[in-house]
Amino acid sequence: MISPLLSPILKVSLNGIYAVVIGFLCGFPMGAKVIADLYSCHKLNKKEASFLLAFCNNIGPVYFISFVLPTLQLKLVLPYVFGMYGLPFCYGVLLRYTVYRHSIPMTASSLPSRRLKNVLSAAEGAPPISLLDTLDDSILSGLYSIAKLGGYMVLFNLLNLVPHALLHPAALAGADSKAIINCLLEITSGISRIGNQSPLAVLLLLPFGGFSCIAQTYSMIKDTDLSLKHYVAHKLFLTIITLAYYLLWLLLFPSSFLL
């Protein structure tokens, strides 16, 4: 339903539009998982998958609006929502018409015709899959993914204890240092620990996602040849863009900054 709106802007396939919607609505690392699954099933080619991974794997909006903004005690909603989701979308549009302008055809289909024929031929010769088999595979895949994500969250929460064990308490006294250390490792526990003491630091780290989110993303794309290094580079660049956005807000509307 949303493809008539997004397809003319992003010039990607219907599978690509699906990845965009899931990536923006469902949060880390569902965007990466959907892109990796579609790529593995030959429903996206590598260039389109790499392009989508650059901006479609973000913090979920329900998490952001219902947890992050209240915890940071920020009352304005739309400016922060734009900073969290509008900037990555605009970044994706910029990439589409610059870096990926010639590497992805400006057409509705992103699959080479020969590969599409091979996929269709294989599907025609394959035995039908029952609904119960599909349901069983889906449940198993979901539980496997949840177990991995939970493991990474536990690991990086435990790593949050390392700075407190190794560094002098004076080095951890500042709210900014706590924000960088805690949120950089595991964003949710970091936000819970610092509350509203350093909202700008948290808002700048959210587009990056922290090392836990990067590890979760890696776990989703590790069986493909999609580049984690390029993904991290795009996340760092988005963080810089977010910093520029908030600095511009501070310069133009200082009275409403961080309200």
Side-chain angles (χ1 to χ4, degrees):
M1 293 185 291
I2 203 171
S3 62
L5 175 64
L6 293 183
S7 291
I9 300 173
L10 294 173
K11 304 288 186 182
V12 294
S13 64
L14 288 177
N15 293 322
I17 296 298
Y18 174 73
V20 172
V21 172
I22 296 298
F24 273 85
L25 291 183
C26 295
F28 281 116
M30 276 302 298
K33 177 172 172 53
V34 168
I35 292 167
D37 287 348
L38 290 172
Y39 176 49
S40 298
C41 294
H42 307 293
K43 294 182 179 180
L44 295 174
N45 63 31
K46 184 176 180 180
K47 288 294 185 180
E48 188 174 8
S50 299
F51 161 64
L52 294 170
L53 188 62
F55 72 101
C56 289
N57 193 41
N58 304 296
I59 296 289
V62 173
Y63 170 91
F64 182 71
I65 294 172
S66 65
F67 171 69
V68 175
L69 293 184
T71 303
L72 300 181
Q73 297 185 10
L74 299 173
K75 295 179 175 59
L76 295 177
V77 175
L78 290 181
Y80 297 111
V81 168
F82 178 80
M84 192 69 240
Y85 304 103
L87 293 180
F89 184 80
C90 293
Y91 180 62
V93 174
L94 177 65
L95 288 176
R96 184 65 181 98
Y97 291 92
T98 54
V99 177
Y100 290 93
R101 178 176 178 82
H102 301 294
S103 57
I104 304 175
M106 293 283 188
T107 59
S109 175
S110 65
L111 284 171
S113 58
R114 181 177 298 177
R115 178 181 291 182
L116 181 59
K117 290 178 181 178
N118 291 339
V119 172
L120 292 176
S121 298
E124 290 174 357
I129 302 175
S130 72
L131 177 60
L132 287 177
D133 287 338
T134 304
L135 179 61
D136 185 70
D137 290 342
S138 299
I139 292 173
L140 181 61
S141 175
L143 291 175
Y144 178 64
S145 298
I146 290 171
K148 288 200 295 184
L149 302 190
Y152 279 115
M153 290 183 70
V154 170
L155 171 63
F156 282 93
N157 269 309
L158 291 175
L159 289 177
N160 264 320
L161 301 176
V162 174
H164 294 274
L166 298 180
L167 298 179
H168 191 274
L172 299 169
D176 288 343
S177 64
K178 289 181 182 178
I180 293 172
I181 294 172
N182 292 301
C183 293
L184 199 55
L185 286 171
E186 210 289 309
I187 196 77
T188 300
S189 63
I191 294 173
S192 298
R193 285 190 177 102
I194 67 172
N196 66 334
Q197 296 179 62
S198 187
L200 183 58
V202 173
L203 290 169
L204 293 178
L205 287 171
L206 281 169
F208 182 69
F211 294 133
S212 178
C213 288
I214 290 175
Q216 293 171 28
T217 299
Y218 168 74
S219 74
M220 296 300 160
I221 67 172
K222 67 184 180 67
D223 294 327
T224 71
D225 57 351
L226 297 175
S227 173
L228 182 69
K229 180 174 68 174
H230 290 166
Y231 167 78
V232 173
H234 286 298
K235 284 297 178 184
L236 288 172
F237 197 71
L238 267 172
T239 302
I240 295 172
I241 293 175
T242 305
L243 173 61
Y245 168 73
Y246 284 113
L247 287 177
L248 185 63
W249 182 357
L250 176 61
L251 291 173
L252 296 179
F253 308 102
S255 61
S256 64
F257 186 65
L258 295 182
L259 289 180

